[in-house]
Amino acid sequence: MSGLALFRRSQWFVAAALVAGTLASGAHAADTVPGRASDSQIRGRMLDLVNAARSRSRTCGTERYAATDPLTSSRKLNEAATSHARDMARKKYFDHRGADGSQPGDRVRRAGYQPRISGENIAFGPESVEEVVEGWLASPGHCANIMEPRFKHLGVGVATGARRGRIYWVQTFGAPLPGHRP
């Protein structure tokens, strides 16, 4: 399966589901929320939740995934994810395709990461790390990215729009080409 296919599955359905779920739930006081937590805390909590999910076997839609190795944080993937989250917030759009026409792999390479494979999850609206990860795990395509055993690194980006509830989340996944540093 190509990296493009990994992040394209169920894109519009999941976006609607994540936005609807956010409107119905809201963050809890103990959740990791942009504005109350630092970028470092948000990235750390996201990595912890993703690795907890990867530590157990899981079904994503109809596909079964075995438990797999934990991901490690990548400064370059964090840069790619943050850049895309900020661009979406600033220009008020929600799409894997950047306003400049770039695709996730283009942004990963632009940040200096040389991928053998890469993928991306995006969400709009969830108010906390816990809420967005829960939504992604409930979505077959996004869950598949989280559970993909070929991925080795994770980057996390979050940006807030001008109005309350306008939170853009990006997870960027990668495995580098042999001989390249994450």
Side-chain angles (χ1 to χ4, degrees):
M1 182 179 312
S2 74
L4 181 61
L6 288 173
F7 69 80
R8 288 206 139 218
R9 287 191 242 157
S10 306
Q11 176 181 346
W12 294 109
F13 171 75
V14 173
L18 287 173
V19 170
T22 298
L23 296 174
S25 63
H28 301 288
D31 286 352
T32 309
V33 177
R36 291 196 316 231
S38 69
D39 286 348
S40 177
Q41 290 170 318
I42 288 169
R43 287 185 178 118
R45 180 67 175 145
M46 176 97 51
L47 185 62
D48 289 347
L49 291 172
V50 165
N51 284 334
R54 288 171 66 90
S55 74
R56 297 182 304 276
S57 62
R58 172 179 307 276
T59 301
C60 301
T62 59
E63 193 161 345
R64 184 85 177 145
Y65 288 85
T68 191
D69 294 332
L71 299 174
T72 58
S73 183
S74 164
R75 180 187 54 78
K76 293 173 182 176
L77 293 180
N78 283 336
E79 182 182 318
T82 298
S83 174
H84 189 51
R86 288 179 179 164
D87 190 58
M88 289 189 295
R90 186 173 35 258
K91 296 178 181 164
K92 300 177 184 159
Y93 72 96
F94 179 71
D95 200 334
H96 289 287
R97 179 180 295 277
D100 62 357
S102 64
Q103 292 292 337
D106 301 326
R107 293 186 291 274
V108 164
R109 285 185 289 282
R110 189 182 305 153
Y113 189 100
Q114 296 302 312
R116 179 173 48 84
I117 183 174
S118 65
E120 178 179 85
N121 285 343
I122 62 174
F124 172 75
E127 295 181 6
S128 71
V129 172
E130 294 80 5
E131 189 177 357
V132 73
V133 171
E134 182 180 333
W136 280 328
L137 289 171
S139 156
H142 294 86
C143 178
N145 274 347
I146 290 170
M147 295 302 294
E148 173 56 57
R150 294 176 294 172
F151 290 142
K152 305 301 176 198
H153 304 115
L154 176 66
V156 176
V158 62
T160 55
R163 293 190 322 202
R164 185 169 188 261
R166 302 258 182 207
I167 304 172
Y168 296 81
W169 300 89
V170 179
Q171 282 182 323
T172 303
F173 302 89
L177 287 170
H180 289 271
R181 299 180 72 140

